[in-house]
Amino acid sequence: MTFSLIARCPDTGAFGAAITTSNLAVGSRCVRLLHRGGAFLSQHRTDPRLGNLGIELLGRGDDAGTAIRQVSASTPEIEWRQLAAMDRSGGMAVYHGRQMYSIHTHSKRENCLAIGNILANETVTECMAEAFDKSQAQALPDRLMLALEAGRDAGGEIIGPLRSSSLRVTGAMGIDDCDLRIDKAQADAVGELRALFETYRTEAALLRKLATEPDTIAVSRRLFEASLTRIRERGLDDRFPAEERRSSWQVAD
């Protein structure tokens, strides 16, 4: 009951994934990414440990096929699982367990691999891969989001609603370009993820700069003054002497 996509940007070394399901917290359970290292998906009666092993193997330089074979050999319950891997060179491999009773497919394009299970029809992953392929002028997060929406609009999983979704793209300096999750939606987790993504993109540059260049960002005057007031109210000036050191901070509205 999950459909997803992994992809890479050969220019930046970024790997990304977009995923959704009618169960909870799909992003934390199913997606494993490593910048310049690879991407691994483990879904259908998900065992997160398989994803952990898969990304470890890719990170040490194994190709996608080798990673899938070793992960498959690591567990006696492999026939319940659906796996996908993409290595640092763009190589891809999948595994569809024989205990999956539903429509389950995968589709490939250059630098892109879509998979799904308990699908409403056999075209879902093909529509996802096609949407990704047709959006080459856009950034990787946008392409992944468009592909996930295409899968939903093509029918998605057979019984909804979609309750969780995730969009993640790795970035340089160990800081993800985005890592957004809807862990429990009321009706349309993909729609909620789109709304979150549109809000996030307006603040993404600032959030990255806060991490990499904190001295260049002024402190919010509203937060600063509220903090000083609360310190005074609680008689904590000796413990938190921010008032005495007011000139130490650049403050702006």
Side-chain angles (χ1 to χ4, degrees):
M1 54 188 179
T2 304
F3 53 97
S4 57
L5 184 88
I6 50 177
R8 70 188 275 264
C9 174
D11 296 328
T12 65
F15 283 85
I19 187 168
T20 189
T21 189
S22 59
N23 215 324
L24 298 175
V26 69
S28 64
R29 294 185 296 113
C30 297
V31 175
R32 299 292 183 269
L33 304 175
L34 180 63
H35 196 65
R36 298 191 182 278
F40 201 95
L41 291 170
S42 169
Q43 54 194 52
H44 195 274
R45 300 204 173 185
T46 304
D47 181 351
R49 296 171 297 179
L50 302 184
N52 295 341
L53 175 58
I55 201 65
E56 178 183 346
L57 295 169
L58 293 172
R60 76 181 191 188
D62 287 357
D63 62 44
T66 299
I68 289 289
R69 287 191 295 273
Q70 293 199 41
V71 171
S72 298
S74 73
T75 172
E77 292 87 18
I78 189 58
E79 300 307 335
W80 285 107
R81 318 301 188 187
Q82 186 180 46
L83 309 176
M86 180 178 292
D87 60 41
R88 63 186 61 186
S89 299
M92 307 174 208
V94 299
Y95 186 87
H96 301 290
R98 289 176 290 184
Q99 288 293 93
M100 289 195 297
Y101 50 83
S102 61
I103 296 173
H104 55 277
T105 63
H106 72 272
S107 302
K108 299 179 182 179
R109 294 292 189 279
E110 186 177 10
N111 297 314
C112 154
L113 172 59
I115 64 170
N117 60 78
I118 314 186
L119 298 173
N121 59 68
E122 72 283 6
T123 72
V124 172
T125 59
E126 185 64 17
C127 291
M128 295 172 70
E130 187 68 16
F132 184 88
D133 195 50
K134 288 182 176 179
S135 59
Q136 294 184 26
Q138 300 194 48
L140 185 55
D142 296 271
R143 300 178 73 188
L144 289 163
M145 193 69 235
L146 288 169
L148 193 66
E149 291 169 330
R152 176 199 60 189
D153 297 344
E157 66 173 72
I158 194 168
I159 296 177
L162 297 171
R163 298 178 68 199
S164 68
S165 60
S166 174
L167 174 67
R168 184 183 168 206
V169 175
T170 67
M173 302 173 65
I175 303 172
D176 283 346
D177 281 356
C178 65
D179 186 359
L180 307 177
R181 301 177 185 181
I182 304 297
D183 283 340
K184 186 181 179 182
Q186 293 301 312
D188 178 14
V190 176
E192 291 190 22
L193 184 63
R194 165 60 79 177
L196 177 60
F197 177 50
E198 293 301 329
T199 299
Y200 177 80
R201 72 159 78 242
T202 66
E203 301 184 32
L206 173 62
L207 293 173
R208 187 174 187 87
K209 199 170 185 180
L210 285 170
T212 60
E213 303 176 56
D215 288 338
T216 67
I217 307 298
V219 175
S220 162
R221 187 178 306 280
R222 178 170 173 267
L223 292 176
F224 188 76
E225 296 298 342
S227 296
L228 296 189
T229 298
R230 184 56 53 88
I231 289 169
R232 288 194 298 270
E233 290 172 348
R234 298 189 65 80
L236 298 172
D237 302 77
D238 291 341
R239 184 175 175 184
F240 304 106
E243 183 72 63
E244 295 180 11
R245 299 177 52 228
R246 180 184 283 268
S247 61
S248 300
W249 289 274
Q250 177 188 354
V251 180
D253 294 326

